[in-house]
Amino acid sequence: MGEPLSLKNHAPESLRSELAAIGVEPYRAEQIANWIYVRGVEDFDAMTDLGRDLRVRLAQLATTRVLTFVRSETGADGTTKGVLRTAEGHVIEAVTIPEERRTTLCLSTQVGCPLACSFCATGAMGFTRNLTTAEIIDQVCRMRELLPEGQSITNVVFMGMGEPLLNLPAVVEAVKILLHPKAFALAPRRVTVSTAGLVPKIPELLEQVPVNLAVSLHATTDAVRDVLVPLNRRFPIRVLMETLRGLESITRRRPVFFEYTLLEGVNDSPEDARRLATLLKPLPAKINVIPMNSHTDSPHRPPAADVIDRFMAELALQRMTVTLRRSRGEDIDAACGQLAARETGSGPRECSTP
Ligand code: SF4
């Protein structure tokens, strides 16, 4: 007998053929998805509308749960960080951020990250491997168990550990599960995939799934961005912007979200704000300005309050759509740039909520 079928690796459409391959009627795919994702039932024995023989067969040939909790912590503002372990012992993190009318879940897509952005705790970890679709989706299943009664996950952002577009096939399949009416049934505008600017993969993502795109920009000149986001040396700002301007036929002018982490003395001047506005004016851009969250692995610091105010005022003067992000979960190292999955002590990039 080969490896058991990991059910969460497949959206209902592709699950049909996987089930057929192990002798189970394909139409069961949606029934099983309903149990796992809608009802939160992972034990085949409890899937009572499946015949007993089928339940026994699934128990022998298939698996549901792939992550276990190492621990979880909830901060003073209700942000909850889950530290989760894969079957072979790798540790990853997911974060839920409750707000007045929504609860956002920030997901990881890789163990570590190879892109090594200079302000990011995950980048400082190095890279181990991509997560599977099942490991991405199980973060949703596990983290919703921690929510208070009556609360549910309303928004999902792929902004945790890792660069999602380096793990595109697994991310696309996970998005299909999030959007599928018989699974998590989220509206496409409630799912956001973030990238540091992996240019060739951006149209590939948006041609496959109709999600929001967020771009971690963080700088307005190649000289600064080359240092903050080393991927910029391969795909400089001009190339990134041309690619984004070319997306209109796919996205039909859906907004593109830009993350701009403010770092003291690096990218926080009024000139930076004016350059940012000039760069983004041709796009349906929404800018999220995030003052840096301190963590021990980074040489950077957040700017002083008056510097942040001047930066925001300049963007407002340029009539840009811009939001200043309150930091969430800083006391539990769950804020932007702090995800680093230390198994002991406080531990885990940039969860933000478009
Ligand atoms: S900011 Fe994102 S892309 Fe850059 S190192 Fe961190 S996780 Fe990777």
Side-chain angles (χ1 to χ4, degrees), residues 17-47:
S17 51
E18 296 294 324
L19 288 174
I22 59 167
V24 176
E25 303 96 322
Y27 75 87
R28 299 288 190 186
E30 294 189 342
Q31 228 174 332
I32 292 169
N34 185 270
W35 276 109
I36 297 174
Y37 305 122
V38 179
R39 303 197 201 192
V41 172
E42 297 184 329
D43 177 357
F44 296 116
D45 238 5
M47 299 182 183

Side-chain angles (χ1 to χ4, degrees), residues 113 115-117 119-120 122-123 160 162-163 196 349-350:
C113 181
L115 296 188
C117 300
F119 53 88
C120 173
T122 305
E163 162 56 53
R349 154 206 141 164
E350 51 182 274

Side-chain angles (χ1 to χ4, degrees), residues 37-336:
Y37 305 122
V38 179
R39 303 197 201 192
V41 172
E42 297 184 329
D43 177 357
F44 296 116
D45 238 5
M47 299 182 183
T48 48
D49 62 354
L50 306 181
R52 200 183 122 66
D53 288 355
L54 176 55
R55 285 186 265 149
V56 170
R57 197 167 164 68
L58 286 171
Q60 289 167 342
L61 298 176
T63 57
T64 52
R65 190 179 285 241
V66 293
L67 298 176
T68 51
F69 272 111
V70 175
R71 64 193 161 82
S72 65
E73 288 172 65
T74 299
D77 62 6
T79 298
T80 297
K81 180 177 71 176
V83 183
L84 297 153
R85 197 194 313 271
T86 66
E88 82 268 55
H90 297 308
V91 175
I92 57 167
E93 303 196 352
V95 178
T96 51
I97 306 147
E99 289 166 284
E100 209 176 311
R101 273 183 275 164
R102 62 185 182 182
T103 298
T104 302
L105 170 62
C106 178
L107 294 177
S108 292
T109 55
Q110 298 184 303
V111 181
C113 181
L115 296 188
C117 300
S118 68
F119 53 88
C120 173
T122 305
M125 287 170 65
F127 172 67
T128 304
R129 70 164 171 82
N130 283 334
L131 296 178
T132 63
T133 298
E135 289 165 337
I136 296 170
I137 285 297
D138 218 18
Q139 294 171 60
V140 190
C141 298
R142 301 284 69 84
M143 292 303 287
R144 71 177 174 184
E145 292 172 353
L146 301 178
L147 293 177
E149 189 78 28
Q151 202 174 312
S152 60
I153 291 163
T154 60
N155 295 60
V156 171
V157 294
F158 288 74
M159 294 188 182
M161 302 169 73
E163 162 56 53
L165 300 194
L166 283 172
N167 190 10
L168 190 60
V171 166
V172 166
E173 195 71 10
V175 169
K176 288 179 179 170
I177 297 172
L178 293 171
L179 303 185
H180 197 284
K182 291 281 163 57
F184 291 104
L186 290 177
R189 68 190 157 79
R190 295 187 177 273
V191 178
T192 303
V193 176
S194 174
T195 179
L198 199 63
V199 160
K201 299 285 180 188
I202 293 173
E204 235 182 273
L205 166 77
L206 297 174
E207 278 159 4
Q208 294 181 77
V209 281
V211 288
N212 295 320
L213 178 71
V215 177
S216 301
L217 190 61
H218 310 310
T220 56
T221 64
D222 285 327
V224 175
R225 197 164 191 266
D226 280 356
V227 175
L228 296 181
V229 184
L231 182 66
N232 194 70
R233 296 173 206 158
R234 277 175 64 201
F235 304 112
I237 291 174
R238 179 186 56 77
V239 174
L240 175 59
M241 293 301 146
E242 276 173 14
T243 303
L244 297 175
R245 282 199 297 273
L247 291 175
E248 214 168 286
S249 63
I250 311 174
T251 62
R252 301 187 198 289
R253 285 197 72 82
R254 275 202 310 275
V256 178
F257 296 88
F258 289 87
E259 312 293 316
Y260 193 97
T261 300
L262 274 183
L263 309 169
E264 184 186 43
V266 176
N267 61 2
D268 58 353
S269 70
E271 293 74 34
D272 284 304
R274 285 193 285 276
R275 271 196 303 267
L276 184 58
T278 306
L279 269 178
L280 300 188
K281 266 195 181 139
L283 291 162
K286 292 193 172 178
I287 309 169
N288 293 309
V289 174
I290 312 152
M292 161 85 189
N293 291 300
S294 303
H295 62 82
T296 48
D297 297 320
S298 172
H300 302 295
R301 293 284 164 263
D306 61 325
V307 176
I308 297 172
D309 289 347
R310 268 205 309 277
F311 192 88
M312 295 301 289
E314 190 60 45
L315 286 175
L317 203 65
Q318 304 288 331
R319 300 183 176 280
M320 301 305 290
T321 307
V322 56
T323 308
L324 179 66
R325 286 279 173 64
R326 264 180 326 124
S327 187
R328 302 293 304 264
E330 245 185 312
D331 55 338
I332 54 166
D333 283 356
C336 303

